[in-house]
Amino acid sequence: MRRRALFPILALPAAALSAAPAPALRVVFGVSRPPFVDERSRSGIALDLFAEAARRLGWRYEIQHAPNKRMLSLLRQGVVDVAVEVQQGEAGLHFSTPFLSYRNVLLLPPGHEAPVRDWADLAGLRVCAWQLAEASLGPQFAAARPRFAQYHEFGNQRDQVRLWLLGRCEALVIDRDLLLWHLRELVRSEPQLAQPRPETLRSLPVPGQAGLDWFVGFRDAALRDRFNEALAALRADGSYQRIVNLHLLGTP
């Protein structure tokens, strides 16, 4: 009887160890860039899409924020386990299927009628884009950039759109949905800013680029694979588009 009583006692430590929760993942997002990331509300398209995928996977995680240019470095150094909304390609890291896709357009100033077939046609204009745009837009953009009158990149694209309305940026490189979202927000927050009528907005496809995909980076390939499965399920059941529409349009 004594020998039988020992077995459940010896088994307890192993059972307790197997039930211990996995440590929380350390996840980095970019700095505030509504409607994709809003640090104050801890919400946004990127935050909410990742949260729903993590909920389905049973993941616990802790959030931090960093500028775009630091996110892959933090992941590579092991400071974080996951980096949300980055460019892929760095050796030794593992990247998801496309997480967010931007439909970048080139927005020209009202009254600008000259044809724009490639980046060189923007010579003499003040051009504004998002942070790290030059690294994403290819060698033709990099070659043309010195001929722009000015060139600025913005971590906060609200400032980019605002300066375009003020005439201090003449040509914008920006996602079409993000542009319209910021224009709507600026009507509410700064009604004194004159806005062009929607029909006067002249936007063209970005030269040589139909779209730009962003990914979720992982240090662990198995986590990446599980995330890809959850992301595919979000798209298949309509949850992905409902989250996007809620932020962009205010309705699921």
Side-chain angles (χ1 to χ4, degrees):
M1 292 296 292
R2 289 179 183 173
R3 292 179 61 190
R4 289 178 186 170
L6 287 174
F7 287 104
I9 296 172
L10 292 173
L12 280 174
L17 287 173
S18 65
L25 295 171
R26 298 162 299 173
V27 181
V28 64
F29 293 83
V31 296
S32 280
R33 190 170 47 86
F36 295 96
V37 174
D38 189 329
E39 294 179 65
R40 291 177 302 175
S41 66
R42 302 183 73 83
S43 184
I45 295 172
L47 284 155
D48 292 356
L49 286 174
F50 186 86
E52 179 57 19
R55 184 190 67 79
R56 297 185 184 199
L57 292 167
W59 289 354
R60 296 185 306 114
Y61 62 97
E62 300 169 350
I63 292 174
Q64 57 183 281
H65 295 271
N68 289 354
K69 60 181 66 176
R70 288 189 55 215
M71 291 170 66
L72 280 178
S73 175
L74 293 173
L75 186 63
R76 182 178 62 251
Q77 295 168 20
V79 177
V80 299
D81 305 298
V82 185
V84 179
E85 213 179 340
V86 293
Q87 289 292 288
Q88 64 177 347
E90 185 152 342
L93 302 178
H94 309 279
F95 296 90
S96 70
T97 54
F99 178 66
L100 285 170
S101 296
Y102 291 82
R103 298 178 300 156
N104 288 314
V105 296
L106 180 61
L107 184 70
L108 297 172
H112 188 279
E113 301 298 337
V116 176
R117 299 183 181 89
D118 57 42
W119 294 115
D121 292 328
L122 298 181
L125 293 180
R126 299 188 300 273
V127 180
C128 296
W130 73 92
Q131 190 177 61
L132 299 183
E134 185 171 356
S136 302
L137 292 172
Q140 290 184 340
F141 181 86
R145 185 186 62 75
R147 298 176 60 194
F148 302 160
Q150 293 178 2
Y151 177 66
H152 295 289
E153 294 185 350
F154 292 82
N156 184 340
Q157 290 190 270
R158 177 185 183 277
D159 295 336
Q160 181 187 352
V161 176
R162 186 175 184 276
L163 290 181
W164 183 80
L165 290 173
L166 291 171
R168 289 155 64 183
C169 292
E170 294 175 297
L172 292 189
V173 188
I174 190 168
D175 173 72
R176 176 75 177 179
D177 289 333
L178 189 57
L179 166 67
L180 296 176
W181 187 88
H182 278 300
L183 287 174
R184 287 195 298 268
E185 288 297 303
L186 285 165
V187 166
R188 288 194 285 268
S189 63
E190 299 188 49
Q192 74 278 10
L193 283 176
Q195 293 213 17
R197 298 189 307 277
E199 63 271 17
T200 67
L201 292 176
R202 185 185 175 208
S203 61
L204 303 173
V206 168
Q209 186 184 85
L212 182 63
D213 293 331
W214 293 78
F215 304 83
V216 179
F218 294 83
R219 290 179 57 80
D220 185 288
L223 289 179
R224 185 273 316 274
D225 293 342
R226 292 185 63 202
F227 181 81
N228 278 346
E229 293 174 1
L231 186 58
L234 283 173
R235 293 185 184 277
D237 66 20
S239 298
Y240 184 101
Q241 196 59 50
R242 283 195 293 273
I243 290 171
V244 171
N245 289 345
L246 184 62
H247 288 280
L248 286 181
L249 306 176
T251 181

